[in-house]
Amino acid sequence: MSNEPKAVVELAAADLEGPGVTFCPNPRMPLWSGHPRVFIDVATTGEGRCAYCGTVYRLKAGEHVHAH
C-alpha cells in the first residue's frame, strides 16, 4: 500500500471547526466517493490524514491555530 496521499487539501486556520479539526469527506468531494464522516485533528501537527480515503488535510503555509 502506498504512503502517498490520495489528495491534499490545504486549509486556512479559519476553515477549521472547534478545537482545530476538519472533517472528511469534505463538501467538495463527489457524493459517490463518500464514507462515514470522521473528524481529523489538524491543529496538533499541522496536518492529518483520513483513515478511510487517505486524503491529507494540512494548514496552509504561515497559518496558525489560536487557542480559544
Side-chain angles (χ1 to χ4, degrees), residues 10-64:
E10 290 196 327
L11 303 166
D15 296 332
L16 300 178
E17 307 281 330
V21 299
T22 190
F23 60 88
C24 190
N26 68 63
R28 293 177 295 205
M29 291 179 161
L31 200 53
W32 61 263
S33 68
H35 55 67
R37 179 179 278 195
V38 292
F39 291 88
I40 301 165
D41 175 16
V42 180
T44 302
T45 64
E47 76 175 39
R49 180 186 296 255
C50 176
Y52 284 100
C53 68
T55 299
V56 170
Y57 294 86
R58 81 172 49 124
L59 286 175
K60 291 178 183 176
E63 291 287 318
H64 300 283

